Amino acid sequence: MIEKATGRSDWRVAVVLGSGLSDLAASLVAADPIPFSHIEGMPSSGVPGHAGALFAGDVGDTPTLIFAGRVHLYEGRDMTEVTYPVRAAIGAGCEVVVLTNAAGGIDPSLEVGAPCLISDHLNLTGRTPLFGPNDDSAGPRFLDLSDVYDKELRTLAKDLDRGLDEGVYAGLLGPTYETPAEVRMLRALGADLVGMSTVNEAIAARYLKTRVLGISVVSNLAAGLSPTPLSHEEVSAAGQKAAARLESLLRGILVKL
Ligand code: HPA
């Protein structure tokens, strides 16, 4: 499907851009966007800020698929749809998947509007892409998750951007933002960031033996940590604020892969 839509079969890296980050796709690769609706099987999202197009081209010498927009479980989408871009990219040859998202900052020392590496996650969506019968030829029934977010890739990112923060991402089902009590609970559980995506895509990629890098943009302080109510507009605006730093970080990583 990806090969057919792009006319190429040498893809090496996939990037999924989250809320408010879609504009980065055109800055990273000079390619005409392919609407998700033109790619067989690819689900498209109705959420503002999730444009729903694939930008396929080279960053440096690295053949890169950039998915601008994703679908979420909270839209009523099923796990097959949520993990489709990751699985399709891996099927097209990608060996590394970079998952980005907008997240609320639970650790109060995190800078709003800055990127933050994901060191590990708490999957609190109540779902997993590996639910159901297992095809043992595709991957293991009981998958080891001790190293979901690749250490070498994180080191590369930190070498490129010395001030980069790192934290544990709690993935929730959404679509509500959390209550202040839930945020206190997440902090006690060891979360630094909270959002509504990424964890199941990361699990699907690891199942398919693919390296994962996760990067959140801290779009707001999590509920109860700031005097103002949370809004999708605030989340999207933070993406734009973080764009320049995230773009140079992503470019730096992509050219080295
Ligand atoms: N909570 C959950 N998801 C989010 C948030 C948040 O505070 N900010 C951006 N996505």
Side-chain angles (χ1 to χ4, degrees):
M1 325 119 219
I2 299 277
E3 287 94 333
K4 197 168 155 209
T6 60
R8 280 173 67 171
S9 56
D10 59 343
W11 300 109
R12 298 247 320 278
V13 181
V15 180
V16 178
L17 294 174
S19 288
L21 304 174
S22 287
D23 290 350
L24 282 179
S27 320
L28 285 166
V29 295
D32 290 334
I34 305 168
F36 285 171
S37 56
H38 294 193
I39 306 170
E40 201 187 317
M42 179 75 70
S44 22
S45 166
V47 179
H50 289 264
L54 171 63
F55 293 70
D58 296 318
V59 181
D61 289 332
T62 308
T64 306
L65 298 170
I66 305 189
F67 296 90
R70 58 153 62 87
V71 298
H72 302 81
L73 288 171
Y74 64 71
E75 296 173 72
R77 302 312 186 100
D78 64 30
M79 200 58 91
T80 311
E81 294 175 292
V82 167
T83 60
Y84 190 87
V86 163
R87 291 184 295 108
I90 295 169
C94 292
E95 292 154 3
V96 172
V97 171
V98 182
L99 301 171
T100 71
N101 60 53
I106 294 177
D107 174 347
S109 73
L110 290 175
E111 188 190 336
V112 172
C116 177
L117 287 178
I118 300 177
S119 57
D120 201 350
H121 76 217
L122 301 171
N123 179 5
L124 301 176
T125 62
R127 317 277 181 88
T128 163
L130 307 185
F131 184 76
N134 188 54
D135 174 0
D136 292 338
S137 68
R141 169 73 292 184
F142 300 107
L143 178 67
D144 174 63
L145 291 181
S146 16
D147 190 20
V148 177
Y149 301 91
D150 192 272
K151 229 182 170 111
E152 261 179 50
L153 294 176
R154 282 191 277 142
T155 302
L156 171 62
K158 283 187 275 189
D159 285 346
L160 289 163
D161 185 335
R162 295 283 171 174
L164 212 48
D165 284 314
E166 203 168 16
V168 173
Y169 176 93
L172 275 65
L173 186 59
T176 58
Y177 293 114
E178 300 66 41
T179 64
E182 286 165 344
V183 170
R184 289 194 296 275
M185 173 192 75
L186 293 169
R187 182 101 184 107
L189 291 178
D192 302 302
L193 302 153
V194 58
M196 307 174 195
S197 68
T198 303
V199 293
N200 288 302
E201 291 149 82
I203 292 170
R206 294 303 298 140
Y207 179 74
L208 298 172
K209 303 173 187 67
T210 302
R211 297 162 76 200
V212 175
L213 180 66
I215 307 173
S216 289
V217 164
V218 184
S219 58
N220 55 279
L221 293 173
L225 301 180
S226 132
T228 50
L230 306 187
S231 71
H232 186 63
E233 290 66 35
E234 178 188 6
V235 168
S236 300
Q240 264 124 50
K241 185 178 166 216
R245 188 166 165 197
L246 186 58
E247 183 189 335
S248 67
L249 175 62
L250 286 173
R251 188 185 302 287
I253 293 165
L254 292 167
V255 298
K256 290 221 160 93
L257 294 176

